[in-house]
Amino acid sequence: MSTEKAGYHHGNLRETLVRTALTLLEESGVEALSLRAAARGAGVSAMAPYRHFADKAALLAAVADQGYADLRDRLAAADTQADPRQALVEQGVAYVRFACERPALFRLMLGAPSAGAAPGPKAPAHQPPGPQPPGPKKTAGSGYDILSARVAGLVAEDRRDTAVVAAWSLVHGLACLAVDGRLHGMPGGMAAPEALARQVTSLFTAGLVAARPPSVSA
Amino acid sequence: MSTEKAGYHHGNLRETLVRTALTLLEESGVEALSLRAAARGAGVSAMAPYRHFADKAALLAAVADQGYADLRDRLAAADTQADPRQALVEQGVAYVRFACERPALFRLMLGAPSAGAAPGPKAPAHQPPGPQPPGPKKTAGSGYDILSARVAGLVAEDRRDTAVVAAWSLVHGLACLAVDGRLHGMPGGMAAPEALARQVTSLFTAGLVAARPPSVSA
DNA sequence: CGAGGATGTTTACAGTGTCAACAGAGAAGG
DNA sequence: CCTTCTCTGTTGACACTGTAAACATCCTCG
C-alpha cells in the first residue's frame, strides 16, 4: 500500500495508461495509439502521462514489456516436449502464433526500435545504427535461453551459436512475413501460418540433425 | 518528350520528390521523412506533391519501388554460382547485406505495410489482417523466382514449397534482427551480419541436402 | 488568341508530441 | 490547526504533420 497502489488523484494512472494503450494498439492499430488517445481513454488530460512516462517511447516500451512477458510465458509453456526436436518445433509454432494473434504488439516489440518520438519540434532525427537493443533484453532473453538449450541438444558445440541464430531468424522471419501479409502470393503461403511454422521448423530441425559433420553417420 | 519529361513548372517534380524522399529516408531516418519535408527539399510548396501522389503512402510506395528494383538486381547479381547450394548462400548474403546497407529503405519496403497515412483528421484506423501484400509483388517476385529455382535444385518436389518459405524466412528474419540491432547480445551476434548470413545459410542448405527422405543416401 | 487542363500556391483545419506555468490534494512539521 | 512542500494533474501554447478547398499560373490545343 505504500509503494504506488491506492488513490492519489486518479488511482494508479500508470497502469491504466498501459492497459488503455495496449487496448488501443490491439483494437485500432499502431497509428491509433497516440499519447493523447491513451490519456483520453484513461480519462485524464493530454499532459498527465508525462508524470509517469518521459515521452511516448517510454509508454510504448512499457506496453512492449507486457508483450515480452506474454511471449516468454508462451515459449516456456510450449517447451514441454521431452524430445528437443519436437520442443524446438513447438517453440517456433508458439512464436509464430503469438505474432499472428497479436500482430500490432508483435511489431511494436520486435519491429523498428524506438519508433515512438516522431514529429516533435526538435527532432534529433537519427541514431547511429550501432548500439541499440532496447527490446527483448532480459525478458525475451529467457526465451532465448530456452531456445538455446534446446538447440544445444541437437547440434555439435562448434555449430551451436550459428544454429541458435538460424533458428531464431527462421521463426522471426516467418512471423514477420506472416504478420505483414507477405506470404499470400506464395505457393505454400495460403496455409495457416501455424501450420507453415510447423512445416518449416520441422524441415529445419530435420536438417540440423541430419547434417552432422563428425564421422558418425554413414 | 511527350510522356512526362521536360519542364512544365518545375521540371519533373515526381522524380525529384522520390529522390528527395529517398535521400531524406536514408540520411535522416523514417521519422524525418515527411511529405512536407520532401516538398521542401524539392523546392515546392507543401501541397505540390498531391499532384503526383494520392497521399503520403503513395510516395512511400514509390520510394519502396526503388528499393525493390535494387534488391532484385542484387539478388540476380548474386546468382552467378553454378552450384545451387553456393548460389543460395550468396543470395542470402546479398539479401542481408542489402538490409544492413540500407536499413531504413529495407524497413520501408518489408516492414509494416502502409505505415504511411497516420494522423490525418479522418482515420479509418484499422485494416483486416487478411488481404494486403502491397510490397514485393511483381518486382521482388522475380527475386522470389530466382530463389525458388535454386531451392528446386536442392530438395525433392514435395518439400519444395516449404523449403522456399523456410529459406526466405531465414534470411528475412536474420536481416530484420540485424537491422534492428537485436543480435548484439547473442554469442555469435557480434560477427558482421554478412558473415552470420553466410554461416546461417550454409548451415541451412547443408541441412536441406542432408535430409533427403528418398532412399538415396546411406 | 482564347479555352481548358495540368501543375503549383495559399489558406485552413484537425491532430500530434511536448514545453511552461499553474492548481489541487495529501503528507510533514511547526 | 495551520503552513508548507511535493506529488499529481490541468490549461495553454508552439512546432509540426497530413490533407481538403479555393485560387493562381503556365502549357497546349483548337
Side-chain angles (χ1 to χ4, degrees), chain A residues 28 31 107 109-112 125 130 133 135-136 144 161-163 166 168-170 172-174 177 180-182 184 186-187 199 203 207, chain B residues 28 31 107 109-113 125 130 133 135-136 144 161-163 166 168-170 172-174 177 180-182 184 186-187 199 207:
Chain A
S28 309
E31 71 274 4
R107 275 196 283 247
M109 294 162 53
L110 284 83
Y144 166 78
D161 292 348
T162 300
W168 190 15
S169 296
L170 185 72
H172 183 67
L174 182 60
L177 294 175
D180 295 338
R182 218 82 61 175
H184 286 28
M186 301 191 51
Q199 296 173 234
L203 180 75
Chain B
S28 309
E31 70 273 4
R107 275 195 284 247
M109 293 161 55
L110 283 83
Y144 166 78
D161 292 348
T162 300
W168 190 15
S169 296
L170 185 72
H172 184 68
L174 182 60
L177 294 175
D180 295 339
R182 217 84 59 177
H184 285 28
M186 300 192 51
Q199 295 173 234

Side-chain angles (χ1 to χ4, degrees), chain B residues 12-100:
Chain B
N12 43 0
L13 219 201
R14 188 190 159 98
E15 186 187 338
T16 303
L17 281 173
V18 174
R19 199 168 40 232
T20 305
L22 216 176
T23 302
L24 227 39
L25 174 70
E26 305 221 70
E27 293 188 350
S28 309
V30 227
E31 70 273 4
L33 172 48
S34 67
L35 213 50
R36 293 172 108 107
R40 217 156 19 211
V44 295
S45 75
M47 288 299 295
Y50 283 92
R51 298 295 156 190
H52 299 269
F53 300 97
D55 51 10
K56 184 183 181 180
L59 208 208
L60 296 191
V63 172
D65 279 340
Q66 302 275 104
Y68 294 137
D70 185 15
L71 177 58
R72 172 176 38 79
D73 291 349
R74 292 202 193 200
L75 290 182
D79 194 50
T80 59
Q81 302 283 335
D83 176 21
R85 201 173 138 182
Q86 283 186 10
L88 219 41
V89 170
E90 294 305 324
Q91 278 186 53
V93 172
Y95 192 97
V96 172
R97 180 166 7 218
F98 173 83
C100 291

Side-chain angles (χ1 to χ4, degrees), chain A residues 170 174 177 183 185-191 195-197 199-201 203, chain B residues 144 147-149 151-169 204 208:
Chain A
L170 185 72
L174 182 60
L177 294 175
L183 295 173
M186 301 191 51
M190 296 163 38
L196 258 179
Q199 296 173 234
V200 160
T201 51
L203 180 75
Chain B
Y144 166 78
L147 171 70
S148 182
V151 171
L154 287 180
V155 299
E157 191 175 355
D158 60 332
R159 305 200 164 192
R160 191 163 301 165
D161 292 348
T162 300
V164 173
V165 173
W168 190 15
S169 296
F204 175 74
L208 268 194

Side-chain angles (χ1 to χ4, degrees), chain A residues 132-215:
Chain A
Q132 185 128 358
K137 261 272 178 72
K138 188 195 65 203
T139 331
S142 351
Y144 166 78
D145 290 338
I146 302 177
L147 172 70
S148 181
R150 288 317 193 157
V151 171
L154 287 181
V155 299
E157 193 176 353
D158 60 331
R159 303 200 166 194
R160 192 163 299 165
D161 292 348
T162 300
V164 173
V165 173
W168 190 15
S169 296
L170 185 72
V171 292
H172 183 67
L174 182 60
C176 289
L177 294 175
V179 157
D180 295 338
R182 218 82 61 175
L183 295 173
H184 286 28
M186 301 191 51
M190 296 163 38
E194 300 179 20
L196 258 179
R198 191 171 300 276
Q199 296 173 234
V200 160
T201 51
S202 298
L203 180 75
F204 175 73
T205 54
L208 268 194
V209 303
R212 304 201 176 217
S215 56

